[in-house]
């Protein structure tokens, strides 16, 4: 095996500085414009063969292969969750401070520390004279945190669909082989409003809901070996009437569904519909849908965000997974674990298009979305070499 650690070493400080600069750019969902501008210019300065910003605001950089190999996409999201009260942070949330052997700030672990690595990895191979056979694409996407929108839309369009994809969600330099899907089901129960003093004159949607809730509890959920059982939880109930003395016309119920690989959205909605249909009450109309909401990206594109992500799962014994694990273990000299992410990711959008996916990142899950958001410099250094090794392996596979 090539000495990828030695090849990566001259770039480590530059990559850490890039990560710090990324963190210093606030990039909340739908407001990633400064971040995108930085990333686009960075890719051009580094010498990518092609740099493109699509209509949604995703930034793609391509280093072309020498020919005949598999294409590999590196995916991180540019947006971050809200930082909350800055006073609760050890270091300023957008300071990108390097201290205690770590880089601190909102997005350090999710996913700006890894993004800096992904931006540099294809260029490092190219400069080392190790350009693989297949194309390497670095995809920095928008609106992952609120809707998975950037990845959902460009894969729906069929743009930048590669043979393999590596995702920069936190995995502690292990390999993530799955993520549960998520969607939000919206149940709208239509009744008939009336004054609460004469309830017999109306049709109370809460009466229907009282019958429905225990039936939802009895829904048979799917399961698989990787994730175990799907879960379904009622998380929000909204009445159409603001007052407390009115039988409402409508009650809207929100159901959070976390799915294993067998419970696709279509299957899950079918199970919920069956529970609705089993309620022995007449005079009500009930609508069921997956939650979409209006979303406008920083480029001005107006669309509908999806409250969720598709599931993704691959066996740890799948040949490309086993090969990636072996390459990393030879490089690092220690065991590389394979396990599923506990949260939803963009990977499902790509897997549903036939892309062979894996997660790989130096970040630690426990710091994501917290006021201790951080990424360890030593772990980043290992991950740079790991990314080079994985790109070398996957992008040199024959088509």
């Amino acid at each position: 095996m090539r000495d990828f650690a030695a090849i990566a070493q001259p770039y480590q400080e530059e990559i850490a500085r890039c990560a710090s600069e990324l963190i210093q750019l606030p990039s909340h969902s739908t407001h990633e414009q400064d971040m995108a501008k930085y990333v686009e210019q960075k890719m051009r300065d580094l010498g990518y063969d092609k740099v493109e910003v699509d209509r949604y605001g995703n930034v793609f950089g391509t280093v072309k292969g020498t020919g005949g190999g598999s294409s590999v996409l590196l995916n991180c999201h540019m947006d971050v969750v809200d930082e909350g009260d800055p006073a609760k942070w050890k270091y300023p949330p957008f300071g990108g401070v390097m201290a205690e052997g770590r880089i601190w700030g909102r997005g350090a672990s999710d996913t700006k520390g890894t993004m800096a690595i992904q931006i540099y990895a294809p260029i490092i191979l190219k400069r080392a004279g190790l350009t693989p056979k297949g194309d390497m694409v670095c995809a920095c996407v928008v609106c992952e945190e609120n809707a998975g929108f950037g990845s959902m839309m460009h894969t729906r369009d069929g743009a930048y669909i590669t043979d393999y994809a590596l995702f920069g969600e936190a995995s502690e330099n292990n390999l993530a082989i799955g993520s549960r899907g998520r969607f939000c089901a919206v149940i709208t129960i239509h009744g008939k409003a009336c004054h609460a003093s004469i309830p017999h004159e109306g049709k109370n949607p809460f009466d229907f809901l009282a019958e429905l809730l225990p039936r939802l509890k009895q829904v048979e959920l799917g399961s698989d070996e990787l994730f175990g059982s799907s879960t379904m939880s009622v998380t929000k109930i909204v009445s159409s009437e603001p007052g407390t003395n009115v039988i409402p016309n409508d009650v809207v119920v929100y159901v959070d569904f976390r799915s294993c690989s067998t419970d696709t959205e279509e299957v899950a909605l079918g199970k919920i519909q069956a529970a609705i249909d089993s309620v022995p009450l007449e005079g009500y109309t009930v609508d069921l849908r997956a939650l979409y909401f209006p979303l406008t990206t920083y480029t001005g594109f107006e669309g509908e965000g999806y409250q969720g992500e598709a599931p993704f799962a691959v066996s740890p014994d799948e040949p490309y997974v086993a090969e990636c694990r072996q390459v990393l273990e030879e490089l690092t000299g220690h065991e590389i674990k394979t396990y599923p992410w506990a949260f939803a990711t963009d990977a499902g959008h790509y897997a549903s298009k036939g892309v062979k996916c894996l997660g790989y990142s130096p970040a630690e899950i426990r710091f994501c979305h917290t006021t201790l958001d951080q990424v360890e410099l030593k772990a980043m250094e290992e991950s740079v070499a790991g990314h080079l090794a994985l790109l070398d392996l996957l992008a040199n596979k024959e088509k």
Side-chain angles (χ1 to χ4, degrees):
M1 175 185 282
R2 296 184 176 95
D3 190 350
F4 289 112
I7 294 170
Q9 187 54 45
Y11 296 91
Q12 297 291 3
E13 288 187 12
E14 189 175 342
I15 292 171
R17 185 165 59 252
C18 176
S20 173
E21 290 170 353
L22 291 172
I23 294 166
Q24 291 173 49
L25 296 169
S27 55
H28 301 99
S29 301
T30 73
H31 297 282
E32 303 96 336
Q33 58 269 18
D34 291 341
M35 176 87 162
K37 188 175 182 179
Y38 174 98
V39 169
E40 179 187 5
Q41 190 59 53
K42 175 66 74 172
M43 288 178 173
R44 295 190 188 281
D45 292 344
L46 288 172
Y48 272 76
D49 297 317
K50 177 184 176 183
V51 181
E52 178 189 17
V53 181
D54 69 12
R55 59 181 176 158
Y56 313 115
N58 301 314
V59 184
F60 299 94
T62 302
V63 172
K64 296 179 180 178
T66 59
S70 297
S71 54
V72 182
L73 180 138
L74 303 169
N75 172 289
C76 273
H77 57 87
M78 295 188 287
D79 60 321
V80 296
V81 296
D82 190 78
E83 69 278 11
D85 183 358
K88 295 183 178 180
W89 287 73
K90 185 173 185 178
Y91 298 98
F94 297 110
V97 173
M98 294 190 200
E100 304 175 51
R102 297 171 178 267
I103 309 175
W104 302 75
R106 172 56 79 228
S109 62
D110 188 21
T111 56
K112 295 184 177 183
T114 311
M115 183 181 291
I117 296 170
Q118 291 190 352
I119 290 170
Y120 272 82
I123 294 300
I124 294 173
L125 287 179
K126 181 179 180 180
R127 290 180 180 176
L130 298 174
T131 302
K133 297 175 183 178
D135 292 350
M136 299 175 288
V137 180
C138 182
C140 302
V141 301
V142 298
C143 297
E144 187 273 345
E145 293 289 5
N146 64 344
F149 189 75
S151 292
M152 177 179 72
M153 295 306 290
H154 91 77
T155 55
R156 181 180 293 179
D157 291 347
Y160 292 100
I161 303 300
T162 53
D163 297 303
Y164 295 92
L166 297 175
F167 295 85
E169 299 285 357
S171 74
E172 295 147 25
N173 282 338
N174 292 299
L175 291 173
I177 57 173
S179 54
R180 285 205 300 175
R182 180 199 176 218
F183 79 96
C184 182
V186 184
I187 304 169
T188 304
I189 305 168
H190 304 284
K192 179 184 176 184
C194 68
H195 198 286
S197 66
I198 47 172
H200 54 278
E201 295 291 331
K203 279 283 185 179
N204 194 336
F206 281 102
D207 291 342
F208 191 97
L209 180 60
E211 293 283 345
L212 176 60
L213 289 177
R215 285 170 168 77
L216 290 177
K217 283 280 190 182
Q218 294 168 7
V219 167
E220 185 175 344
L221 300 174
S223 64
D224 61 29
E225 185 176 346
L226 187 62
F227 299 114
S229 176
S230 299
T231 61
M232 182 171 64
S233 305
V234 174
T235 55
K236 186 177 180 180
I237 299 172
V238 179
S239 170
S240 60
E241 312 303 327
T244 60
N245 60 347
V246 183
I247 302 296
N249 270 313
D250 306 312
V251 167
V252 183
V253 184
Y254 295 85
V255 181
D256 182 281
F257 200 104
R258 304 285 169 149
S259 57
C260 69
S261 58
T262 62
D263 277 332
T264 64
E265 178 191 304
E266 182 180 5
V267 169
L269 285 174
K271 293 178 178 181
I272 296 171
Q273 186 64 56
I276 293 170
D277 294 342
S278 72
V279 174
L281 294 178
E282 297 181 353
Y284 298 90
T285 303
V286 183
D287 300 322
L288 172 65
R289 64 180 176 88
L291 177 59
Y292 284 80
F293 57 92
L295 184 152
T296 303
T297 70
Y298 77 86
T299 62
F301 180 86
E302 296 181 0
E304 281 192 321
Y306 174 58
Q307 193 67 70
E309 304 270 12
F312 147 64
V314 61
S315 168
D317 299 320
E318 185 73 21
Y320 79 90
V321 178
E323 290 172 340
C324 288
R325 184 172 64 244
Q326 181 179 350
V327 161
L328 291 176
E329 288 181 343
E330 290 177 3
L331 174 71
T332 64
H334 61 73
E335 179 188 6
I336 300 296
K337 300 174 183 177
T338 55
Y339 56 78
W341 282 301
F343 46 84
T345 74
D346 274 349
H349 296 306
Y350 298 80
S352 65
K353 295 290 185 178
V355 179
K356 297 177 180 178
C357 300
L358 276 177
Y360 182 62
S361 162
E364 298 173 73
I365 296 168
R366 63 193 173 118
F367 296 129
C368 295
H369 296 194
T370 73
T371 56
L372 291 174
D373 203 345
Q374 60 187 271
V375 61
E376 185 185 48
L377 289 167
K378 185 176 179 181
M380 285 184 66
E381 291 176 3
E382 178 181 302
S383 198
V384 176
H387 274 82
L388 299 182
L390 292 175
L391 283 172
D392 181 70
L393 168 69
L394 297 175
N396 278 311
K397 285 186 172 293
E398 298 292 332
K399 286 284 284 186

